[in-house]
């Protein structure tokens, strides 16, 4: 690359050399007269050539330096005056002149820019922020001189000392030989500008010129201009000397300071004022460019010299330049100037008392004094004390500046207060600063108004207590905002208003609402004194009932305000101050933004009463937002329905903020109802006009989002009627959605509204399918069912448009017929699609496999009878769709839409920059993995592997939610894939839609059309799936063992939220994949699956204990025989043999794993709650242990280690007597699983004997657990009474499982032991009974129903044993059982009687129907017309 660039530069320099030779051969314009056009062309060529050389490094064209120097020196010295000097000089010295300050300079620049001179047509007008850059179009000859000066400086630095000296000599000689003063002045300016650039380049590179003749020549050339009468040349020479001192070092600096000191020692009458002024500014430039640290040794002499020059009463020029130089010196010195602060302030004070600084004269001199004081405040900063003499003198000077009438002086007074606020905030007194700043807001000078606004904002931010009583200021600022035209001042005013609002709206929201309301409604201003009184006195007692405020109209409020103004202003003084003001539209929009900000500020405050009406009523004197809810809704309603177009969207947005903030607020006067239910009419009425045909498209788009927020809120419950009206607003435009148009607006506005409607409906439908959705969404989903086919068609059309615009090359896009935009607006609607795309993608994906996915498509065979009946009913009602709608429903095939959704999901998942969008796309992928499409024909291995590859990258995502959702997608893929997906003889060639819809593929139909698949692709897919599933465990392998010694906070959070969830889903996916694979493939991956589960059991320790549960479950799934996965009858026996052989082969490994688990963990701590994971991990842990034991006894029966079973029985017993109801229920369920598994075998087998062992050991504990449900206050119990506690749903689950075990024990007991079994079972069931009076709780009633049903069953099936048990029961048990049985029998009889009565009534009704159907005589026809 370097060689290529070098070759390119050499060719470019060669062409420039040729052009240079041509330019050098131009005849002199002094000898030959050219036409203006020819002269301009020659100058333009020279300009282009010099600029090209200036853009290249000088080393590339070293051979052309002599020719270029001859040309540019001629152009520089013979041409007009350069225009570079104003841009090169330091911007902080603009007050020294010679150019004006403020807008006058802008006007002059504009006039100069449009002078009728020769212009270059190739130059394009460019707008910049600087005022001086307005005159960017200059004459060609001036532009030639500018670039010549720049190139001369570059070439001068690149020359040797000999050539430099020759160039300087030539320049000096040309200036001396100038014939006229104008020519000499132009040459001096151009030469001085080139010297300035030379010293600037040397100072930047820190390259010294040296001690030779060149340095002397440069100094001799620059030094005389210090005393020049031209201000620009004097400034340029002073700065050049300062930069020369920076590059040359201390020797040059010392000599220069010494020479200036000698100059100042001379009498003022013997030295020109310009020379003394230049000397002062040179000292300042030394401080500026050399630096305060490097020039610290010269600081005392510099300050003393500047003090002397500042007191020069003979020349104002010298005094002003000295004061400006003193300001620069203070700024560069910083804290080093602290020892000189007091004498400098004394100097300033003495100067204010002289005749030269009489009030009203010399405003520039006054401004320089103010800058000196401001620089001292900035340098000292926090070291200023409130009562120090230094601070007293500063305040005295500032007072003089405030009293001055000139705006430039007052500006420095404001700057002084701003410096105090920034650098010395503890000396700031807001009550002293605030009145002066507010008075400057009404100044006729924009500079003062802008400075006052900025200073006020800094005062509010630094001293928040100064916000008290500033509501009057907010009103003034709104008036300023309405009248100011400067954009930057507009922004500053808005920043100040929002700062005031943020500081005070949390305590006085009603006052801010009152101010904003006066702006939005353009009503009369309340007296500002009354507004101030509102902030100082407590508010009136709020209304006792919020419903009293509901029917208050705007007219009533206006009458109250008018009455208040009349009562407070009888003399007419206040009435005169109420002025009619009509604000502009943008001011009203900003006022509504402030209303929204008030809501946001109140939400961020810790005051809960802002959104709780009960607390607000109790907090007397506290200004809360909830008491002004009616005003908020009224303002939002008025803005949303305003005649001002720009105000409507912000009004609707305010309604959204109100709904989000006040939705949880309940009405204390109407229990169970939300406070916003009182304002449903206003909210819906404000949104309804937004969906009118003539509404603004922006308003409709905003209203869609607000409407969804209003509906999808879990705290607000809407009636079905309200929801139907709301949904009608969103659904009604669907019929003509594709034909929508806005003739008065751009075409992209149509796309905005269409996508907003589709996105809103997609969000509602997706929320209905998500877990934990609100009750309103549950009611809305049935309302969307009839429109789902049309929604599906429009959603897919929008997604296809998005895909073509963003993912396809230009040629297919031109051939594609777009639906929701035009080709002319394709580049402008990207943001609209980007906002709606994730929601539409998720909603459309959730339809895959549902009836709405197939309804309306041609050749669809997936409509059930219910749908056909519904369709027939709709046709009978006359509500059939139009031909266009039918066409849109069947315009694409289901398989094509499926691949569009899959492709867009995968493309979106590759961009992981937005976590929320990635999560939505992951959920879309999860919906797409429907069993209808996870077949070898519809979802080949190639597409599946692409999906797995994309998802595998998300398993390493930074967001935990993304990783968990990705793991869930893999689990869904493994769970829903067809059982023949990984078979050996499956055809993965995608079938046509007709063949795929007619019948699902089956491996048993092996005809000639099925071809052998690519086993390599299938093996690669399996390898990728297994790798992704094992990846979380690898992460656990690295974090688990090495992080055991870390803090408990890390291990608890990290293991429970991140690692544990990932491993749980991964092990579950591996277990399902193991059961899915055919025997040959399963044998290939057995080692990996087994090692993964066993490794998890070994590493699951300490706070990582939850992993053990899923590892044991994985072992259980692996140990089960995969006979269900066989696809042919010939392979079933071989599959069973393979599974048995594998289990026998790894029997020792499994046996060791179980022993390791039981010896490693202390389950007793987990059951008693000592372990931090006892609530989460003990339940699946004991279930996994039992499932593992059950699996072993079902397969081999060879694991007979009594120690293992004794340990499991002991841990289950501990769980049954624990305090956690969920753990007790799980333990009882585990016992039932073990007993049921053993009961299926013969009595002589080991599995049956093992089940009996668990039954004997666990039966008494289960019965004792049932006895604990007895109500001990009403009955006496012969057993030990545990502590009474409240029952839960987990207790009901435990009782059900325990009863099932005891009933199963009675069924398995022999004849001689059945009586003993009943003696345990019946008393346990009696403990669960409850009489009807008093009315039992729902949980007790459920226990009673379960117990009485089983007792009746036992009494019916075992009458002899039941009768023999009854006499042995205690009297209290017997009476309770008899009353419960009597009550149950009576309930059965009543139920039978009711059933018989219902049957008789039905038969009677049918008989009456038959009688009505019999022939009836014709009715009589009577004519009463004759009796009229």
């Amino acid at each position: 690359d370097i060689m290529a660039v070098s070759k390119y530069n050499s060719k470019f320099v060669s062409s420039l050399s040729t052009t240079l030779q041509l330019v050098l051969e131009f005849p002199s314009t002094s000898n030959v007269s050219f036409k203006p056009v020819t002269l301009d062309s020659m100058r333009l060529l020279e300009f282009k050539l010099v600029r090209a050389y200036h853009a290249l490094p000088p080393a590339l064209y070293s051979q052309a330096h002599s020719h270029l120097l001859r040309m540019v020196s001629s152009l520089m010295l013979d041409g007009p005056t350069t225009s570079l000097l104003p841009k090169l000089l330091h911007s902080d010295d603009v007050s020294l002149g010679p150019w004006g300050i403020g807008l006058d300079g802008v006007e002059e620049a504009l006039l100069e820019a449009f002078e009728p001179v020769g212009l270059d047509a190739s130059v394009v007008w460019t707008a910049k922020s600087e005022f001086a850059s307005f005159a960017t179009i200059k004459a060609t000859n001036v532009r030639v001189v500018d670039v010549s000066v720049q190139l001369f400086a570059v070439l001068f630095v690149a020359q040797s000392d000999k050539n430099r000296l020759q160039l300087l000599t030539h320049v000096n000689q040309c200036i001396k030989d100038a014939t006229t003063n104008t020519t000499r002045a132009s040459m001096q300016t151009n030469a001085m500008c080139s010297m300035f650039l030379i010293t600037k380049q040397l100072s930047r590179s820190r390259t010294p010129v040296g001690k030779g003749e060149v340095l002397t020549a440069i100094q001799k050339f620059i030094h005389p201009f210090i005393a020049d009468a031209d201000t620009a040349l004097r400034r340029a020479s002073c700065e050049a000397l300062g930069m020369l001192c920076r590059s040359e070092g201390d020797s040059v600096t010392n000599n220069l300071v010494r020479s200036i000191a000698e100059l100042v020692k001379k009498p003022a009458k013997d030295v020109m004022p310009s020379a003394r002024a230049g000397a002062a500014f040179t000292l300042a430039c030394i401080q500026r460019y050399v630096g305060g640290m490097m020039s610290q040794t010269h600081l005392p002499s510099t300050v003393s010299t500047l003090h002397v020059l500042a007191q020069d009463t003979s020349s104002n020029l010298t005094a002003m330049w000295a004061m400006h130089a003193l300001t620069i010196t203070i700024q560069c010195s910083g804290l080093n100037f602290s020892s000189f602060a007091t004498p400098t302030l004394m100097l300033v004070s003495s100067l204010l008392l002289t005749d030269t600084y009489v009030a009203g004269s010399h405003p520039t001199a006054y401004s320089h004094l103010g800058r000196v004081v401001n620089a001292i405040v900035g340098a000292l900063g926090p070291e200023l004390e409130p009562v120090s003499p230094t601070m007293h003198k500063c305040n005295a000077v500032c007072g003089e500046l405030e009293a001055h009438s000139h705006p430039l002086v007052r500006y420095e007074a404001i700057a002084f207060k701003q410096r105090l606020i920034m650098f010395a905030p503890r000396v700031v007194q807001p009550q002293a600063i605030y009145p002066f700043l507010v008075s400057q807001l009404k100044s006729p000078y924009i500079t003062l108004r802008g400075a006052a606004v900025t200073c006020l904002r800094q005062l509010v931010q630094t001293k928040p207590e100064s916000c008290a009583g500033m509501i009057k200021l907010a009103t003034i600022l709104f008036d300023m905002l309405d009248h100011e035209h400067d954009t930057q001042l507009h922004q500053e005013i808005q920043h100040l208003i929002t700062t005031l609002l943020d500081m005070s709206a949390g305590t006085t929201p009603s006052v801010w609402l009152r101010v904003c309301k006066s702006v939005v409604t353009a009503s009369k201003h309340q007296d500002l004194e009354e507004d101030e009184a509102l902030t100082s006195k407590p508010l009136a007692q709020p209304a006792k009932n919020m419903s009293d405020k509901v029917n208050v109209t705007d007219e009533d409020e206006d009458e109250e305000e008018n009455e208040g103004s009349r009562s407070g202003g009888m003399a007419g003084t206040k009435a005169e101050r109420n002025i009619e003001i009509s604000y502009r539209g943008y001011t009203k929009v900003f006022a509504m933004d402030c209303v929204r900000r008030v809501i946001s500020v109140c939400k961020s405050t810790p005051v809960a009463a802002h959104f709780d009406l009960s607390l607000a009523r109790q907090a007397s004197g506290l200004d809360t937002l909830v008491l002004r809810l009616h005003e908020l809704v009224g303002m939002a309603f008025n803005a949303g329905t305003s005649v001002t177009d720009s105000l409507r969207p912000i009004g609707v947005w305010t309604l959204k903020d109100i709904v989000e903030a006040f939705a949880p607020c309940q009405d204390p006067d109407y229990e169970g109802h939300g406070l916003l239910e009182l304002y449903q009419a206003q909210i819906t009425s404000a949104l309804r006009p937004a969906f009118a045909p003539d509404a603004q498209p922006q308003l409709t788009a905003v209203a869609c989002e607000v409407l969804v927020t209003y509906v999808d809120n879990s705290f607000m419950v809407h009636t079905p009627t309200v929801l139907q009206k709301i949904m009608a607003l969103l659904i009604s435009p669907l019929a003509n959605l594709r034909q929508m148009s806005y003739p008065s607006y751009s075409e992209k506005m149509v796309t905005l509204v269409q996508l907003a409607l589709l996105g809103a409906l997609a969000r509602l439908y997706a929320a209905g399918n998500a877990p934990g959705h609100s009750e309103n969404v549950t009611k809305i989903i049935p309302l969307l069912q009839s429109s789902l086919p049309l929604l599906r068609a429009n959603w897919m059309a929008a997604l296809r448009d998005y895909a073509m615009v963003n993912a396809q090359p230009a040629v297919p896009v031109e051939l594609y017929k777009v639906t929701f935009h035009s080709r002319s607006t394709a580049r402008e609607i990207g943001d609209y699609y980007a906002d709606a795309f994730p929601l539409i993608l998720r909603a459309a994906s959730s339809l895959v496999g549902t009836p709405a996915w197939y309804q309306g498509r041609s050749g669809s065979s997936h409509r059930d009878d219910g749908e056909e009946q519904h369709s027939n009913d709709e046709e009978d009602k006359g509500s059939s769709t139009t031909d266009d709608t039918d066409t849109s429903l069947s315009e694409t095939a289901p398989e094509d839409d499926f691949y569009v959704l899959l492709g867009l999901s995968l493309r979106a998942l590759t961009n992981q920059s937005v976590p929320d969008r990635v999560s939505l796309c992951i959920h879309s992928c999860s919906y797409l993995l429907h069993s209808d499409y996870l077949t070898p024909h519809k979802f080949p291995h190639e597409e599946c592997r692409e999906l797995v590859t994309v998802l595998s990258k998300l398993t390493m995502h930074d967001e935990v939610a993304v990783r968990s959702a990705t793991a869930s997608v893999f689990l869904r893929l493994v769970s829903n894939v067809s059982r023949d997906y990984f078979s050996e003889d499956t055809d993965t060639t995608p079938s046509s839609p007709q063949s795929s819809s007619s019948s699902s593929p089956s491996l048993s139909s092996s005809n000639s059309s099925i071809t052998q698949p690519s086993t390599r692709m299938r093996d690669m897919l399996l390898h990728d799936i297994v790798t992704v599933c094992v990846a979380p465990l690898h992460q656990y392998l690295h974090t688990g063992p090495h992080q055991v010694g870390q803090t408990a906070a890390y291990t608890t959070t990290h293991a429970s939220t991140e690692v544990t969830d990932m491993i749980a889903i991964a092990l579950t996916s591996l277990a399902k994949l193991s059961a899915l694979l055919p025997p040959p493939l399963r044998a290939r991956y057995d080692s990996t699956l087994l090692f993964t589960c066993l490794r998890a059991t070994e590493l699951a320790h300490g706070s990582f204990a939850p992993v053990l549960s899923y590892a044991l479950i994985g072992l259980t799934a692996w140990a089960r025989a995969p006979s269900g996965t066989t696809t042919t009858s010939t392979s079933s026996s071989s599959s069973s043999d393979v599974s048995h052989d594998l289990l026998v082969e790894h029997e020792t490994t499994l046996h060791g794993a179980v022993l390791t688990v039981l010896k490693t963990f202390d389950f007793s701590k987990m059951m008693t709650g000592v372990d931090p994971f006892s609530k989460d991990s003990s339940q699946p842990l004991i279930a996994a242990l039992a499932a593992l034991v059950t699996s072993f006894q079902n397969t081999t029966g060879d694991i007979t280690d009594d120690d293992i079973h004794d340990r499991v029985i002991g841990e289950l017993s501990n769980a049954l007597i624990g305090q956690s109801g969920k753990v007790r229920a799980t333990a009882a369920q585990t016992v039932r699983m073990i007993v049921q598994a053993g009961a299926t075998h013969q009595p002589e087998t080991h599995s049956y004997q093992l089940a009996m062992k668990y039954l004997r050991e666990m039966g008494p504990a289960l019965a004792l657990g049932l006895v604990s449900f007895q109500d001990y206050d009403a009955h006496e119990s012969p057993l030990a009474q545990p502590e009474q506690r409240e029952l839960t749903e987990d207790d009901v689950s435990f009782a059900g499982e325990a009863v099932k075990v005891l009933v199963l024990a009675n069924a398995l007991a022999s004849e001689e032991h059945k009586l003993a079994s009943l003696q345990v079972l019946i008393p346990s069931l009696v403990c669960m009974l409850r009489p009807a009076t008093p009315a039992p709780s729902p949980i007790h009633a459920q226990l009673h129903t379960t117990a009485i049903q089983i007792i009746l069953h036992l009494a019916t099936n075992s009458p002899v044993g039941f009768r023999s048990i009854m006499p042995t029961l205690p009297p209290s048990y017997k009476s309770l059982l008899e009353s419960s049985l009597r009550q149950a029998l009576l309930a059965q009889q009543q139920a039978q009687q009711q059933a018989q009565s219902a049957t008789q009534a039905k038969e009677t009704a049918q008989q009456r129907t038959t009688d009505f159907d019999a022939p009836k005589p014709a009715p009589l026809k009577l004519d009463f017309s004759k009796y009229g």
Side-chain angles (χ1 to χ4, degrees), residues 555-837:
E555 292 78 8
D556 296 335
E557 295 179 358
D558 294 338
E559 290 178 3
E560 292 176 3
E561 294 177 0
N562 295 332
E563 290 176 1
S565 61
R566 288 195 296 269
S567 62
M570 297 299 295
T573 57
K574 293 184 180 180
E576 293 176 358
R577 278 175 279 185
N578 289 334
I579 305 173
E580 289 284 354
I581 295 179
S582 179
Y583 288 94
R584 302 178 188 270
Y586 59 80
T587 307
K588 295 182 179 181
V589 171
F590 179 71
M592 287 304 301
D593 277 329
C594 292
V595 174
R596 298 183 62 193
R597 199 176 188 91
V598 169
I599 300 175
S600 176
V601 170
C602 292
K603 289 173 65 176
S604 61
T605 58
V607 182
H610 279 305
F611 303 98
D612 193 324
L613 186 56
S614 300
L615 296 178
R617 290 175 177 176
Q618 296 173 5
S620 60
L622 182 64
D623 190 1
T624 56
L625 189 62
V626 68
L627 296 178
R628 303 294 176 179
L629 181 57
H630 62 287
E631 295 183 13
L632 274 174
V633 177
M635 293 176 62
F637 174 80
N638 292 334
T641 57
S642 173
V643 296
T644 306
D645 293 341
S646 60
L647 198 58
R648 294 175 190 169
I650 191 65
V652 177
W653 277 117
T654 308
L655 282 177
K656 179 186 177 184
D657 295 339
I658 294 173
V659 171
E660 292 178 347
F662 290 94
C665 186
Q666 298 296 315
D667 191 349
D669 300 320
Y670 303 99
E671 186 177 357
H673 294 273
L675 199 58
L676 284 181
E677 293 183 19
L678 299 172
Y679 307 97
Q680 281 188 353
Q682 289 91 328
I683 295 175
T684 54
S685 299
L687 295 176
R688 190 177 296 111
F691 294 91
D694 57 344
Q696 294 175 268
Q698 301 95 328
L699 181 63
T700 306
V702 172
C704 290
E705 185 172 351
V706 177
L707 203 60
V708 173
T709 304
Y710 183 62
V711 173
D712 187 16
N713 199 302
S714 58
F715 297 99
M716 297 179 60
V717 180
H718 304 290
T719 61
T721 305
V722 174
L723 291 177
Q724 288 178 359
K725 293 180 180 179
I726 292 176
M727 293 308 299
L729 297 176
L730 292 173
I731 296 177
S732 57
L734 286 179
N736 300 317
L737 184 65
R738 301 189 180 187
Q739 291 77 30
M740 183 180 293
S741 63
Y742 289 95
S744 302
Y745 295 90
S746 172
E747 293 181 1
K748 65 180 182 180
M749 292 292 102
V750 180
T751 307
L752 173 65
V753 177
Q754 290 172 334
L755 295 179
L757 286 168
L758 293 177
L761 292 170
R763 177 180 169 186
L764 285 176
Y765 186 73
N769 294 327
H773 55 267
S774 62
E775 183 179 350
N776 298 325
V777 178
T778 306
K779 299 177 183 177
I780 282 178
I781 295 302
L783 301 177
L784 287 174
Q785 290 298 328
S786 59
S787 303
L788 283 181
L790 184 58
L791 275 174
R792 181 256 307 158
N794 288 316
W795 284 341
M796 293 307 306
L799 292 177
R800 287 194 300 271
D801 290 351
Y802 174 78
M804 296 302 296
V805 171
N806 292 275
Q808 295 296 327
V811 175
V813 171
E814 295 177 357
L815 300 177
Y816 172 73
K817 182 181 179 181
V818 295
T819 305
F820 292 115
H821 68 273
S822 62
R823 292 187 179 89
S824 60
T825 61
R827 296 182 179 181
E828 303 176 5
I829 43 82
D831 294 338
Y832 305 155
Y833 276 109
D835 295 338
F837 161 70

Side-chain angles (χ1 to χ4, degrees), residues 340-350 373 376 389-390 393-394 397:
F340 307 99
T342 301
T344 303
L345 288 174
M346 293 178 63
L347 171 66
V348 173
S349 301
S350 63
V373 176
I376 293 175
T390 303
K393 294 177 182 178
C394 290
V397 174

